[in-house]
Amino acid sequence: MTSTAPDFFTDEQTRRLYATDASSYEELPKAVAFPETTREVIDIVTYARRQGLSLTARGAGTSLAGQTTGGGIVMDIGRNMNRIINIDAQKQEALVQPGVIRDTLNREASRHNLLFGPDTATTNRCMLGGMIGNNSCGLFSIKHKTTREHVLEIETVLSDGSKAVFKPLSQTELAAKMELDSLEGQIYREMTGLLREHSDRILANYPHPEIIRRNTGYALDRLCEMAPFTEGGRPFNLAELLCGSEGTLAMTTSAKVKLVSEDPAHVMLVPHFSSIRAAMEATVEAVETGPAAVELVDDIILNATKGNIEQQKNRFFLQGEPKGILIIQFDGKNISRLKAKAQRLADKLQKRNLTSSAALITDPEKIDRVWQLRKAGLGLLMGLGSKGRTPTFCEDTAVRVPDLPDYVDDFQRILDRHNANCVFYAHASVGELHLRPVINLKEKDEIQKMKTMAGEIADLVRSYRGSLSGEHGDGRARAPYIEKVLGTEMMPLLRRVKQIWDPGNIFNPGKIVNPKPMEQDLRYSPAYQPPEVDTQFNWRKEESFADALELCNGAGVCRKLADSGGTMCPSYMATREEKDSTRGRANLFRQLFSGRQQEAFRSGELRDALDLCLSCKACKSECPANVDMARMKAEFMQGWHEDKGISPGERFFGQAARIYPLAGIWPRLSNWMMRQPAVKEVLQQWLGIDKRRDLPAFAPQPFMEWYQKRSKSSDPRRRGSAQANDLQSLPETAGGGQKVVLLIDIFTNYHDPEIARAAVRFLEATGHQIIIPGFHELGRPQLSKGMVKHAKKVLDQNLPRLATYANRGFPIVGLEPSEILTLRDEYLDLCDDEQLTSAEMVAAQSFTFEEFARKVLSAASNNTPPPSGTRKVYIHGHCHAKALIGNSATRQALQLSGYETDVLQTGCCGMAGSFGYEKDHYEVSMDIGELTLFPAVRSLPDEALVCAPGFSCRHQISDGVGKRAWHPAELMAERVGIGN
C-alpha cells in the first residue's frame, strides 16, 4: 500500500496488534495509521475514500462491542493526538485532542478544582475521542449524566475530507449552515428535514426519556428535543448526535468540553445483600436520597477478588459472603450532613429487611480503594478462566430505575430457561446493569444459545421501553438487535442518517446499521485452535499454557501512564506503543500460537514485541486477569533459544555464577579493566553491554570469604553461625536461638557484601542462629534470560536441600527480592509433579529479609520500644516485591526499627536486572527511570535516606541521580546499634 502523509503500517505485527479490542471480536485490518495533525486525518480520510477502504478510529481500544475493530484502515489517534490544547478555568472549559486520557485531563483540571465528570471504569487509559464515540458515562452518571452533556463542540473531518465544527446554533446560524454548498450544508439540510418529517415516530419508539443512559441507534430523540423541533428547546447541536455515533459519521479531531467543580466531601455506604432482587429494591430507595453513585457488584466478582493480588487488599470493607453489594457514594460540602444522610439510608434499608449490614466509609484513601475494586470488575471476570468467560453481547441494557427489580427477575427467567449463569454488576443508579451470561464461544451450541438469548433479551428490553446499549455502544455485538428494540420502522431512518453523513460508507461500517452477523469474526469460536505445545512451566494455576494465553480480554489496564500510579507496564509507559503493552504482547501470543502452534517459538514478531518486556511482574498483580507476561516471555525465549541459540550477552548475564568467581579473584583488576574505554567498547560489541554504563564493581572481599574467616572466631555470639552444605554439618543444639537459613545471592556476595554482613549482624543481635547454604543462585538470572531449562537444573539441585530446611521449620530468608520470591513464584510451576509438595513447603517457609525482620521486630516490640532518634527513610519498592507481596513489609520493618517512612509512589526503576545494561535497552531504561523514580529522588533533600531492597534499583538510582540507596538490612542493623 502506498500513500502520501502520514505513513501507513502494513506489517503483520502491527496489523495483529490492532485486530482486537476489549470485545469478543478479532478482525485483521489492512493497515494502521498514527496521525499527528488534523491535516493528516484529512489525508487518511481522503485516501480511504478513494481506495474504497473502511476507516475505524481508535483510542485506547477498550470498546466492548467491537467498535474499534475493522478490516480496512485502523486510525490510532491516541499515540500522537493527545494534547490538552487549553483549559479555561474561568469558563470551566477545556479544548482537547481526541487522544487525551480522561484522568490526564482531570489531573490538569484539578489544579483549578475542576474535573470532567463522566467517570468510566477505564479512566486511567480511555480517551476523550472514545468517550465521545461511545457517549461514555461511568460510575457517577446519576450525578454527571453522559459525555454528551459535557461536550460543547466537536471539530471533525467529514467523509469527503472537509472540516466542520459542530456546536450549538441559533436559528439564524442554523439557517446559514443549511445554505452552505458543501457536505456540511447537505448534512444540516437533510438532517433537519428527516427530523421534521419523523420526530413524532422517533419519540414514540425510542427508549423512555427518563433513562439517562440510552445509546441505542443514533440519538435522534435527543435532536427532537431541540429547537426548532421542540418549542423552547435547547439550541440545535449535531455534536449531541456525534456522541454515541461510534465513529460512523465523522472523525473527531478536537473537542471543547465542559468542566465542573469538585465536591470537597465524600461519604460511602456499602450495604450487603443476600439476593440481587434485594439489592435492586434497595437501589430504588437509594436513588431517592440523591446519591452521586450507586454501583452493584455481585458475588462472582467479589469472589474473583480473593485470588487477585492487587484486589485482595481492597476487600477490607466486606463482611461475610454477600450475594451482592451496593457501593453508594454521597458528595457535597459538609461531611457531617453526608454521614447523616448515609446513616438514614442504612437504617431504612435495615428496617425494610433488605440488608443486615452496611459499611460506612469516610476516609478518602479507603473510598478510593473500594472504587479500585469496583473498576477491576471487567478484568476480574477474565481471571475466571475459559469456563467462566462472559462475552459482551447483552451486558449494557438499561431500564428505568423503578423497573429494575422486576427487570432483573425477568432476565433471570431467561437465564433459567437457557440454563445459564450470569454476572450482575455496574450502574444500578441509572437503571443499567452489566448482565454477562457465561457462554463458551468455542462450542457451536453455545453460540446458538448466545444468539437466541440476545434476541430474547432485546425483546425484554423493548417491553420495558429500555435501551439495548447504555454506554458501551451497539457495535458488532448489538447492532443486529436494534430493530427489535426500536422497531422496524426506525431502521430506514438510521440507515438514512448514515447515508447523509457518509454516503461512501467508509466510516466504521456495520457498527450501527447494516451489521454483520454477531457470530462472525469472533476471537474465540469453534474454529479456534488452542495451542498444543511443549512447555517448561506447568501452568498449574491457569491449568495450561493455552489457558494462560487466553487470560487477556483487552481491557487495557496495561496502557495506563505513569501519572496514574502503579508499575504496569513500564515499557509501554515509556514508548506508548501497543506492542510494548501487556495486552499487545498477549494478543500476539494468542494469535501466533493458535495459528502456528509449536512453530510460534520461532516468531520474530513475538520476539520483537517481547524485547522491551522488563519481566517486572507488575502485570501478575496489576492486570485484573493476572496475566504473567514475565513467565510467558521466559517460556517463549526458551523455545526461541532452542531454535536460534543463546547469544553471548544472554549467557554472560544468565550464567554469571560461572564467571564471577574468576573475576572475584582479582577484584581491583577486574574493576579497573571494566572501566577502560577500550574494554567497554569490546563489551558493547561482544556482549551488548552499553558503554555508557559502569558494570557493578566487585568488592575487595566477597561476603563468603569474610564469613568463613569470621565463623572461626571465638566470639561467643558467633558460635551458632555456620556455613552448611547440609544439616549434618550443623549440630542440633549449637548456639541456641532459632535457626535461620540466610541465602546469599551471587550479586550480594560479590558486589554488596556489606549488605549480607549487616543482615548477619542483625539476625545475631536478635538471637538467631544463622545457616549459610553453600550455593548462591536460585535460577532468577536464567529465568530472566529465558534459559528455563538451566533454571530447572538449578531447581533440581536446590529444592531437596531447601526442603530439608523447610521441613525442620527453619525460615529461609533472602536479601534480593527477585531471588527469594522465585521460590514462592516460579518454583511452584517449574517443579515436576513429584516435587510440588516440597516446593510448596519451601515457598511457605521463604521470606524476604524485610518480611522476616518485621516478624522478629513485631514480636520484640511488645517488650522493647523502638530505638529513639527517629529519622525519615524514603522507600522505593522492588518490582517483584510490589507485585507479589507489596511494600508493607519493608515499611513496617523500618518503622519497627525506629524510622519514619515514606513510600515513594514510583513504578519500575527501569534497570530490571541486566535490561538497563544492554545497549539496545539503555535509552528505554533511562526513560523509564525518568517517568517517576528519578524525579522523586531528585526532589528529596540531599541528606535524605533512600531505601531500595533491589540490587538493580540501587544501581539505577546511582546511575540516574547519583545518590546512594540503602538496603533495609543496612538501615535496620544500624538502628540496633551494631553497624556494618
Side-chain angles (χ1 to χ4, degrees):
M1 180 182 296
T2 60
S3 72
T4 57
D7 292 334
F8 290 103
F9 291 81
T10 59
D11 60 282
E12 193 80 4
Q13 183 194 71
T14 304
R15 293 167 61 216
R16 287 185 185 276
L17 290 167
Y18 286 86
T20 62
D21 52 14
S23 73
S24 302
Y25 294 95
E26 182 170 281
E27 189 173 5
L28 198 67
K30 289 184 172 59
V32 180
F34 304 93
E36 297 184 19
T37 64
T38 298
R39 176 70 256 175
E40 291 185 355
V41 174
I42 292 172
D43 290 341
I44 293 169
V45 171
T46 301
Y47 184 87
R49 177 170 55 83
R50 289 174 178 172
Q51 298 297 321
L53 292 170
S54 67
L55 178 59
T56 299
R58 174 182 173 121
T62 56
S63 295
L64 293 171
Q67 293 96 320
T68 59
T69 62
I73 300 170
V74 171
M75 183 174 69
D76 181 343
I77 51 85
R79 183 186 293 184
N80 301 313
M81 297 185 71
N82 51 30
R83 286 194 305 116
I84 299 174
I85 300 169
N86 180 55
I87 292 180
D88 189 325
Q90 186 172 5
K91 291 183 177 180
Q92 296 192 185
E93 298 174 355
L95 182 62
V96 299
Q97 290 186 313
V100 170
I101 294 173
R102 187 268 191 186
D103 280 1
T104 300
L105 172 61
N106 276 7
R107 275 190 290 274
E108 293 298 316
S110 67
R111 300 179 182 181
H112 311 285
N113 196 38
L114 298 171
L115 78 157
F116 182 73
D119 185 19
T120 69
T122 57
T123 53
N124 61 8
R125 68 266 193 201
C126 75
M127 300 172 183
L128 269 293
M131 296 184 75
I132 290 170
N134 277 2
N135 191 33
S136 298
C137 313
L139 309 176
F140 295 89
S141 53
I142 192 172
K143 176 182 180 180
H144 294 302
K145 304 292 191 294
T146 74
T147 296
R148 183 178 286 131
E149 280 80 16
H150 296 262
V151 172
L152 300 173
E153 61 183 62
I154 303 175
E155 180 189 81
T156 68
V157 174
L158 300 178
S159 60
D160 66 346
S162 62
K163 291 199 301 182
V165 176
F166 295 98
K167 59 184 180 179
L169 301 176
S170 67
Q171 292 297 304
T172 302
E173 291 170 326
L174 176 58
K177 289 287 187 182
M178 293 172 65
E179 293 296 322
L180 294 175
D181 184 19
S182 62
L183 177 56
E184 181 185 3
Q186 183 178 332
I187 287 171
Y188 277 104
R189 288 190 295 274
E190 297 201 28
M191 287 299 301
T192 54
L194 181 149
L195 294 169
R196 284 194 181 93
E197 183 178 354
H198 300 288
S199 61
D200 290 342
R201 285 199 296 160
I202 291 169
L203 292 174
N205 283 277
Y206 264 64
H208 197 289
E210 289 182 15
I211 301 172
I212 293 173
R213 303 164 70 116
R214 54 187 203 275
N215 277 352
T216 305
Y218 292 116
L220 299 178
D221 57 334
R222 296 282 299 192
L223 299 183
C224 290
E225 298 169 358
M226 301 173 182
F229 310 103
T230 293
E231 187 176 352
R234 60 189 179 276
F236 191 74
N237 184 3
L238 286 175
E240 291 198 31
L241 178 71
L242 294 179
C243 291
S245 65
E246 305 179 28
T248 64
L249 302 182
M251 297 290 106
T252 299
T253 54
S254 70
K256 183 181 291 185
V257 298
K258 179 173 65 176
L259 304 175
V260 297
S261 299
E262 291 189 76
D263 286 312
H266 311 283
V267 169
M268 179 177 284
L269 181 71
V270 189
H272 296 43
F273 302 95
S274 59
S275 71
I276 298 298
R277 169 84 192 196
M280 294 300 93
E281 292 180 8
T283 297
V284 179
E285 297 283 0
V287 168
E288 292 179 356
T289 66
V294 182
E295 293 286 304
L296 172 70
V297 183
D298 77 353
D299 58 331
I300 296 178
I301 292 178
L302 292 177
N303 288 334
T305 64
K306 296 177 181 178
N308 182 270
I309 299 170
E310 185 75 2
Q311 296 307 322
Q312 287 171 355
K313 65 178 181 292
N314 295 331
R315 291 174 50 88
F316 67 93
F317 62 94
L318 291 173
Q319 303 169 28
E321 299 288 338
K323 179 66 176 177
I325 61 172
L326 289 179
I327 303 173
I328 306 171
Q329 182 165 308
F330 297 96
D331 293 350
K333 294 180 171 56
N334 187 305
I335 195 164
S336 296
R337 292 177 183 174
L338 296 179
K339 287 172 65 176
K341 181 188 287 190
Q343 190 59 56
R344 285 195 300 271
L345 176 59
D347 294 342
K348 188 173 184 179
L349 297 181
Q350 290 178 344
K351 187 175 181 180
R352 286 195 54 190
N353 293 320
L354 293 175
T355 181
S356 59
S357 62
L360 185 63
I361 306 170
T362 59
D363 180 81
E365 187 269 338
K366 290 184 177 179
I367 288 175
D368 182 63
R369 285 168 59 190
V370 177
W371 284 127
Q372 288 177 32
L373 182 141
R374 159 63 188 90
K375 289 185 174 186
L378 172 63
L380 288 170
L381 295 178
M382 288 306 294
L384 301 176
S386 58
K387 295 179 182 178
R389 186 164 290 129
T390 58
T392 56
F393 70 96
C394 65
E395 90 296 342
D396 202 34
T397 61
V399 297
R400 297 187 312 141
V401 173
D403 293 332
L404 270 177
D406 290 340
Y407 175 73
V408 165
D409 285 348
D410 289 339
F411 195 96
Q412 185 63 53
R413 279 187 273 274
I414 293 176
L415 295 172
D416 293 342
R417 190 158 56 246
H418 292 280
N419 192 29
N421 295 319
C422 185
V423 176
F424 294 76
Y425 77 111
H427 317 296
S429 64
V430 286
E432 182 190 359
L433 296 182
H434 293 335
L435 307 169
R436 298 173 62 111
V438 177
I439 299 286
N440 186 353
L441 296 178
K442 297 176 185 177
E443 297 181 8
K444 186 176 182 180
D445 291 346
E446 291 280 286
I447 288 181
Q448 184 57 49
K449 179 199 289 189
M450 177 178 70
K451 293 177 63 178
T452 302
M453 289 180 66
E456 293 177 3
I457 292 165
D459 289 335
L460 177 63
V461 171
R462 170 78 173 187
S463 72
Y464 279 91
R465 201 182 170 190
S467 177
L468 191 61
S469 171
E471 69 165 327
H472 292 167
D474 297 315
R476 297 289 306 272
R478 282 178 283 276
Y481 300 94
I482 295 175
E483 185 171 354
K484 278 182 170 285
V485 175
L486 297 185
T488 302
E489 60 185 320
M490 287 295 102
M491 298 312 296
L493 300 186
L494 298 183
R495 286 192 284 269
R496 180 61 185 149
V497 171
K498 174 66 170 171
Q499 176 67 24
I500 290 169
W501 287 77
D502 182 22
N505 195 34
I506 63 170
F507 286 164
N508 214 14
K511 303 305 173 13
I512 293 181
V513 298
N514 303 318
K516 297 178 183 179
M518 72 177 301
E519 72 273 21
Q520 188 171 327
D521 301 322
L522 290 171
R523 189 190 310 186
Y524 300 109
S525 70
Y528 175 78
Q529 296 181 329
E532 296 180 3
V533 298
D534 298 327
T535 61
Q536 301 304 312
F537 288 107
N538 285 291
W539 302 96
R540 291 187 170 95
K541 179 182 177 183
E542 298 84 355
E543 297 185 359
S544 72
F545 181 58
D547 288 308
L549 299 190
E550 296 176 18
L551 281 177
C552 176
N553 72 329
V557 180
C558 48
R559 285 176 57 98
K560 64 183 177 180
L561 302 183
D563 289 344
S564 292
T567 302
M568 180 181 71
C569 176
S571 52
Y572 174 79
M573 290 177 180
T575 69
R576 302 196 186 187
E577 292 195 23
E578 179 73 13
K579 75 178 181 68
D580 297 322
S581 69
T582 302
R583 179 178 72 178
R585 293 165 181 143
N587 276 330
L588 288 176
F589 259 107
R590 175 181 46 76
Q591 292 168 357
L592 289 165
F593 274 95
S594 64
R596 294 164 57 181
Q597 303 291 334
Q598 193 78 22
E599 183 69 18
F601 283 114
R602 301 179 180 180
S603 171
E605 296 172 61
L606 191 48
R607 175 68 180 86
D608 176 65
L610 291 170
D611 183 56
L612 296 185
C613 173
L614 284 78
S615 298
C616 68
K617 286 284 181 180
C619 49
K620 186 177 175 69
S621 61
E622 293 181 31
C623 169
N626 300 140
V627 173
D628 190 343
M629 188 52 60
R631 189 173 301 186
M632 292 168 66
K633 176 183 179 180
E635 190 75 78
F636 172 81
M637 290 305 300
Q638 175 62 50
W640 175 271
H641 291 326
E642 290 181 12
D643 184 68
K644 308 290 185 180
I646 302 173
S647 71
E650 289 168 328
R651 288 192 184 278
F652 175 80
F653 286 113
Q655 297 182 327
R658 297 184 179 182
I659 303 169
Y660 271 36
L662 180 63
I665 296 174
W666 300 285
R668 289 184 176 82
L669 176 61
S670 299
N671 294 338
W672 179 83
M673 289 185 62
M674 289 189 300
R675 279 159 175 73
Q676 301 309 303
V679 174
K680 283 191 169 189
E681 190 67 41
V682 171
L683 292 176
Q684 179 168 290
Q685 296 299 321
W686 178 40
L687 301 178
I689 299 172
D690 197 286
K691 59 186 179 182
R692 288 168 288 187
R693 289 278 192 193
D694 286 334
L695 286 170
F698 286 88
Q701 183 183 42
F703 168 79
M704 292 305 297
E705 181 180 327
W706 171 86
Y707 190 75
Q708 287 165 359
K709 291 180 180 179
R710 180 180 182 275
S711 64
K712 299 175 183 178
S713 168
S714 60
D715 187 334
R717 287 192 313 161
R718 301 168 184 168
R719 289 175 184 167
S721 300
Q723 179 183 357
N725 290 325
D726 53 52
L727 279 179
Q728 282 68 39
S729 65
L730 186 70
E732 183 81 18
T733 59
Q738 181 188 19
K739 297 182 178 69
V740 175
V741 179
L742 182 62
L743 297 180
I744 308 299
D745 59 275
I746 188 171
F747 306 105
T748 300
N749 182 54
Y750 285 99
H751 296 305
D752 294 331
E754 67 278 5
I755 293 172
R757 294 199 295 267
V760 165
R761 291 166 179 165
F762 175 90
L763 292 172
E764 289 179 344
T766 51
H768 292 88
Q769 179 185 357
I770 303 171
I771 304 170
I772 306 288
F775 55 88
H776 294 302
E777 55 180 350
L778 297 176
R780 180 79 257 157
Q782 291 89 339
L783 290 170
S784 70
K785 288 302 172 187
M787 300 162 63
V788 185
K789 287 186 176 179
H790 290 75
K792 179 62 166 65
K793 291 178 181 179
V794 173
L795 178 151
D796 291 338
Q797 294 171 359
N798 292 344
L799 189 57
R801 298 159 71 185
L802 292 170
T804 304
Y805 298 133
N807 189 47
R808 300 287 292 274
F810 297 172
I812 302 169
V813 178
L815 296 168
E816 176 60 29
S818 61
E819 290 278 338
I820 190 67
L821 291 173
T822 300
L823 302 182
R824 285 156 61 171
D825 187 18
E826 283 91 354
Y827 268 40
L828 296 176
D829 252 3
L830 191 56
C831 68
D832 298 329
D833 289 344
E834 61 271 17
Q835 297 173 307
L836 183 58
T837 299
S838 293
E840 290 174 338
M841 184 169 53
V842 168
Q845 285 295 109
S846 297
F847 304 91
T848 64
F849 178 83
E850 303 90 274
E851 286 180 303
F852 188 72
R854 175 180 60 180
K855 182 179 178 181
V856 170
L857 294 173
S858 295
S861 64
N862 295 326
N863 302 316
T864 306
S868 59
T870 300
R871 188 175 177 189
K872 194 167 188 177
V873 176
Y874 298 87
I875 301 169
H876 165 70
H878 187 282
C879 285
H880 285 213
K882 284 187 286 191
L884 300 177
I885 60 174
N887 280 324
S888 60
T890 305
R891 175 175 54 83
Q892 292 167 9
L894 287 168
Q895 288 172 346
L896 289 166
S897 298
Y899 290 99
E900 181 185 349
T901 61
D902 186 347
V903 178
L904 298 173
Q905 297 305 303
T906 49
C908 179
C909 73
M911 185 67 87
S914 65
F915 182 89
Y917 289 100
E918 294 162 356
K919 175 177 174 290
D920 294 339
H921 302 149
Y922 174 81
E923 298 289 352
V924 172
S925 169
M926 299 304 285
D927 288 345
I928 292 171
E930 288 291 355
L931 291 174
T932 55
L933 176 60
F934 294 168
V937 176
R938 288 192 192 105
S939 69
L940 300 177
D942 291 341
E943 69 277 8
L945 283 177
V946 176
C947 174
F951 175 84
S952 298
C953 305
R954 294 191 298 275
H955 284 265
Q956 179 76 324
I957 291 170
S958 176
D959 285 0
V961 188
K963 188 171 183 63
R964 164 77 184 270
W966 302 82
H967 190 280
E970 297 175 283
L971 298 175
M972 283 185 267
E974 179 182 329
R975 297 304 288 178
V976 293
I978 52 180
N980 284 329

